Structures are given as structure tokens and as C-alpha cells.
Amino acid sequence: MARISVDTGKCIGSAQCVLAAPDVFDQDDDGFVTVLDSTPSGEAEATARTASGICPAQAITVHD
Amino acid sequence: MSTDAAELVPFMLRRPGAPFPPPEYEEFRTKPGLVKAALPSGETVWLVTRHEEVRAVLTDPRISSNPTHEGFPRPSRTVGAPSADEVPGWFVSLDPPDHNRFRKALIPEFTVRRIRSLRPAVEEIVDRAIDQMLARGDTAELVEDFSLTVPSLVISSLLGVPKVDRDFFEEKTKVLVTLTSTDEERDKASEHLLRYINRLITIKSKRPGDDLISRLLQGGLLTPQELSGVSMLLLIAGHETTANNISLGVVTLLQQKQWIGDERMIEELLRYHSVADLVALRVAIEDVEIGGQLVRAGEGIVPLVAGANHDPEMFERPHEFDPSRSATGHVAFGYGVHQCLGQNLVRLEMDVAYRGLFRRIPTLEVAVPLEELRFKYDGVLFGLHALPVRW
Ligand code: HEM
């Protein structure tokens, strides 16, 4: 299991995380990232790591 | 480091007879540091071809998107990006923090949910374009009859252009993005469109509708003048790029039909063709080291997204079209704060376009031998000048 934190101040709403890890991330009405599951495990954890790696604004941190 | 003209490569290298990046990129990737290239003007720029370094350039705050900085690459008159001084609202040319207000105003219009809700409208546009092709016979020129039509109609519907004006809108935007248009034709079309958009903004401020322009006017984050520049940017950024992707995708999918209908093909098509190779132009505003190369303040940089997307360190067998790989992490839409705002709309348009074409015209085929296809080797965006098809 990992812990996820996001920096909404950096978020640019490209929604890469929502596409890569729809069980972990969502967008609010303003288009900014929200976290659905802040302690994902298994498959969800793997997708959260992918999302963190491709986020163009580098706004997602995965804490081990 | 020497800047001897004999050692400079030209800025725009030819792609060979397949949709791959210029073969020189492979050689560049193996060299330490970056490669210096000459623009037609004689100015020089640094070319970046490795995935890691393309991402580094596009996220470094010491590297700017603002064309008013000394040394910003100006490949040609029609290629050089306007600045936000010239066109208020042209936010792709702004750096943070000036860029933030525009991005913030626009992203609610491009969320995954909002874009999903556009599917029926995009389906109607695609269906109508196919109806018209079928009504005309059993051949078509796909670029003109379909690939350019669909994104133009989608953007006009997004902006809130009334249906009766969409033919006018489409006709003018085609002139704007067609490489063979003269500068004069292009200036005229651009003037007509701008005048039209300004009129539309005035109308929407009195009688708002359910569209992007009306919502942004009501949101009050942008001035009407900025909104006019934003509308032009959306139009230009989202038209030929999407059209080229759709056409190239049809050719690639017809060669490998087993992938038609497989959702994974979309990401791989974006990576494989990387049409916006030369789009993200930058300039260093402080000295910065990229991949071991010192780049001085005032030197232009061109991160080549096709180079990055065909970097074997990132994607194995990069020249193979293989949707079963994970193409995630490609930079076809750029990276950093300017990463394409319209990317989820593009994914939707590609999905609806291919579903529509291959379902309704199952016998679709390219009407000329592949060697005779005319690729845009000379454009800033890679694509096809024309795509004759039959069924
Ligand atoms: C396949 C189609 C497309 C491709 C390959 C593409 C590619 C790109 C790239 C590479 C950038 C980054 C430019 C930079 O960093 O300087 C970009 C930015 C942008 N794109 Fe796209 N694009 C496409 C379609 C669209 C569509 C359909 C729209 C709008 C409806 C759009 C709107 C924009 C905007 C507004 C920006 C600037 C974003 C910013 O500065 O924050 N694009 N695009």
C-alpha cells in the first residue's frame, strides 16, 4: 500500500491521472485533481504510480 | 563547441517514405549533449531528441515559451508563434504565472466528464460527414471531405457557432491550415474569422447559450478581447493537428486491420505519428544544462516530440505500430504546463471518427499505391496533403 498526495496548486487539469488511474483520481468541476483513494493497493497502486510518472505538472507524489 | 556552418543540420529534416521521424534523430540521440541546427534565417537552435531531455526542457522554469524573448526560434513567417502581446489571449505563448489564469479558466471546459458529454454531438458530426461522402459516390478525398471537416465542426460547436454559420467557419479555417494557401489568402481568412468571432462574443454577451464562449464570458476571468484570442487559439491548435492524426491513422489502420476497434490503438497512433514534432518552441532565459549540454540564455531550443516518442530507451521497437505496448508516457501532446488542453477531445474525435468510418464503410481502402501518397514533409505538422480513398 502507498499513500498519495497531490499539489492542486501545480495541477493543470490535463486529466492524465484520471485516464491512467480512474479508481484513484478524479477531477472536480473546476478541472483540478481530486483523490478518490489516498491509500491504494494492488492494481490501483500500480496505476497511481503510472499517473504520477506521466503527470505533466509533476503534481502527484506517491509515498511508500 | 563549434558553430561552424558546415556542422549545422537544417532545422526541418525530411521524414522518409513512412510516418517515422527523420532517421537523423537516431544518430542525434546517440551523441552526447544536444545538436545544433540552423533555421532558414541562419539563426541556430538546439535540437532535443531524447525522451528524458524533452521532458526536462518542457518542465524547466528557466526555459520560456514567450516569443518576445531574444533568441526565440522563428522558423518562418507562418510558423513563428504570435506572442500574447500581439494577440491577447494567445496563452500558449505565456509562461507561468501569466499562463495560469488562462489555463484555469479553460480547464473546466475540457475535463474528462465534459468531453464525454460531447460524444453524441461528435457522433452526429462524423455521421453527417460520412453521409455526405456516401451520397457523392464510391470515392472521396478523405483529408478534405472528412479529416479537416470533423475537427472544424467540433470546435465550432464547442465555441457555440450557430449551425447556419458552420460552413463559413469551416471554409475559412481550411484556408488557414492548408499549406498551399498563399500568405494573402491566409491573412484574409484569419481576418474574416477574427471578425466573426468578435461578433459572436458580442452576441453571446447579450444572449448567452450553452457553450464555451458564453460560460467564459460569464465566468469573468477573461476579458472579451482575451476570449477572442483564446477562441482563435483553440481553432488553430485543434484543427490541422487533429485532421492529420485522423488521416494518418486511417492509412496505418488499413495496413494493420487487426487493430481496428481496439481502444489501445488511439494512444499508439498518437505516439507513432507524432504529428506535432516541431510545435513546442522554446528559448532559454537563463543558462541551463540539458543532458550535459550548456545552453546559454537567449538560445533557442526545439524539443522534438517525434524524437522523444521514438526513443528506444522509452519505447522498445519504436518504429513498430503496436497498440499492445503501453504507449502511456508519450509526449505527442507535449509535457509540462502547456501540455495540450484539447487532448481528451482529440481522443474522443479519433475514437468516433474511426468507429464511424470502419463501421459504415467496411470496404474502405486507399485508392492509390501507398508510395504515391503525398506526405507533408515540409510542414511544421506532419500529415498528408491528400488521401484518395474508395469503397
Ligand atoms: C492530435 C491533435 C493535437 C496534437 C498532436 C496537439 C499537440 C499539442 C502540443 C504538442 C501542445 C504543446 C505546445 C507547447 O508546449 O508549446 C499543444 C498545446 C495546446 N493545444 Fe493541442 N494538439 C492537438 C489538438 C488540439 C485540440 C483539438 C485543441 C483544442 C480544442 C488543442 C488546443 C491546445 C491548446 C489550447 C494548447 C496550449 C495549452 C497551454 O498553453 O496551456 N489541441 N497541443
Side-chain angles (χ1 to χ4, degrees):
Chain A
M1 195 181 74
R3 191 172 60 78
I4 307 294
S5 64
V6 293
D7 182 344
T8 43
K10 281 190 182 170
C11 176
I12 54 149
S14 76
Q16 298 298 287
C17 57
V18 185
L19 298 182
D23 296 331
V24 184
F25 302 101
D26 199 358
Q27 282 173 293
D28 63 18
D29 288 341
D30 291 332
F32 293 113
V33 59
T34 57
V35 179
L36 298 174
D37 177 0
S38 59
T39 53
S41 54
E43 175 66 15
E45 178 183 341
T47 59
R49 284 183 197 279
T50 303
S52 165
I54 62 172
C55 171
Q58 300 171 332
I60 301 170
T61 313
V62 180
H63 309 268
D64 287 303
Chain B
M1 174 204 69
S2 148
T3 50
D4 184 0
E7 289 176 26
L8 295 176
V9 298
F11 166 68
M12 217 182 266
L13 292 157
R14 271 185 71 94
R15 293 196 183 208
F20 303 139
E24 289 87 348
Y25 290 6
E26 254 167 69
E27 182 202 326
F28 297 167
R29 268 193 301 267
T30 63
K31 290 187 178 171
L34 308 179
V35 170
K36 206 154 222 201
L39 301 179
S41 64
E43 287 172 274
T44 58
V45 288
W46 292 107
L47 299 182
V48 189
T49 46
R50 288 182 288 263
H51 187 270
E52 190 187 338
E53 286 150 16
V54 165
R55 293 207 339 175
V57 167
L58 293 174
T59 47
D60 195 309
R62 296 165 296 179
I63 296 176
S64 169
S65 294
N66 190 336
T68 62
H69 285 300
E70 190 68 36
F72 191 87
R74 285 252 165 225
S76 77
R77 182 194 165 283
T78 38
V79 172
S83 71
D85 296 346
E86 291 166 277
V87 184
W90 202 266
F91 62 96
V92 69
S93 296
L94 289 173
D95 294 323
D98 300 331
H99 169 263
N100 304 3
R101 178 169 58 96
F102 291 92
R103 187 89 192 190
K104 187 169 154 50
L106 267 304
I107 55 175
E109 300 295 329
F110 290 89
T111 60
V112 171
R113 227 170 263 121
R114 173 63 62 74
I115 297 297
R116 237 174 239 152
S117 75
L118 297 177
R119 182 176 281 271
V122 176
E123 282 172 346
E124 195 189 316
I125 287 167
V126 165
D127 266 334
R128 176 105 33 91
I130 296 174
D131 287 343
Q132 286 174 354
M133 278 186 356
L134 291 175
R136 265 185 243 127
D138 55 6
T139 61
E141 198 285 276
L142 203 77
V143 171
E144 174 94 24
D145 296 343
F146 185 79
S147 308
L148 280 168
T149 303
V150 169
S152 165
L153 292 175
V154 169
I155 295 171
S156 54
S157 122
L158 192 81
L159 293 177
V161 174
K163 284 204 169 126
V164 290
D165 295 338
R166 290 194 190 160
D167 285 345
F168 159 85
F169 204 79
E170 191 201 332
E171 189 194 308
K172 299 296 170 204
T173 56
K174 265 185 195 164
V175 175
L176 219 54
V177 300
T178 301
L179 279 177
T180 48
S181 302
T182 63
D183 284 354
E184 200 186 337
E185 288 167 334
R186 214 174 272 134
D187 284 347
K188 216 170 183 184
S190 158
E191 207 183 295
H192 280 140
L193 278 171
L194 196 60
R195 209 176 311 139
Y196 179 84
I197 285 174
N198 287 337
R199 212 170 49 226
L200 191 65
I201 291 174
T202 311
I203 294 170
K204 301 277 177 196
S205 61
K206 296 195 188 112
R207 270 179 289 127
D210 179 19
D211 53 67
L212 184 149
I213 290 184
S214 299
R215 278 188 295 271
L216 287 181
L217 278 167
Q218 287 166 335
L221 285 173
L222 309 180
T223 66
Q225 201 197 8
E226 287 168 343
L227 192 48
S228 143
V230 165
S231 305
M232 286 297 278
L233 173 61
L234 293 177
L235 186 64
I236 290 171
H239 191 195
E240 195 198 344
T241 42
T242 312
N244 288 355
N245 251 308
I246 292 176
S247 306
L248 289 170
V250 167
V251 175
T252 300
L253 290 170
L254 285 176
Q255 286 174 275
Q256 299 202 45
K257 291 191 176 162
Q258 71 274 27
W259 297 113
I260 294 175
D262 188 316
E263 277 182 9
R264 293 172 296 178
M265 77 189 178
I266 304 258
E267 255 5 78
E268 177 67 350
L269 285 173
L270 289 162
R271 180 198 72 83
Y272 185 68
H273 294 128
S274 297
V275 302
D277 189 26
L278 300 169
V279 164
L281 306 176
R282 298 290 189 269
V283 64
I285 48 174
E286 288 176 37
D287 290 358
V288 46
E289 200 181 294
I290 300 290
Q293 177 77 54
L294 175 65
V295 177
R296 298 233 177 247
E299 291 182 336
I301 310 174
V302 184
L304 298 161
V305 306
N309 285 342
H310 286 255
D311 182 347
E313 287 283 313
M314 181 68 190
F315 301 104
E316 282 175 29
R317 302 165 285 106
H319 291 351
E320 261 174 57
F321 175 70
D322 178 7
S324 76
R325 77 167 83 238
S326 169
T328 306
H330 71 72
V331 289
F333 292 118
Y335 196 67
V337 298
H338 292 286
Q339 195 186 52
C340 184
L341 179 72
Q343 57 179 295
N344 295 317
L345 183 59
V346 174
R347 293 183 172 103
L348 172 67
E349 288 184 61
M350 288 172 75
D351 184 56
V352 174
Y354 297 135
R355 275 177 205 275
L357 279 178
F358 295 121
R359 181 176 52 81
R360 294 194 53 201
I361 321 182
T363 56
L364 186 74
E365 59 182 14
V366 180
V368 295
L370 290 181
E371 314 80 67
E372 285 175 26
L373 288 177
R374 286 166 45 236
F375 289 96
K376 294 178 180 172
Y377 297 116
D378 41 358
V380 166
L381 294 173
F382 186 62
L384 283 159
H385 287 287
L387 178 53
V389 292
R390 63 179 173 223
W391 52 86

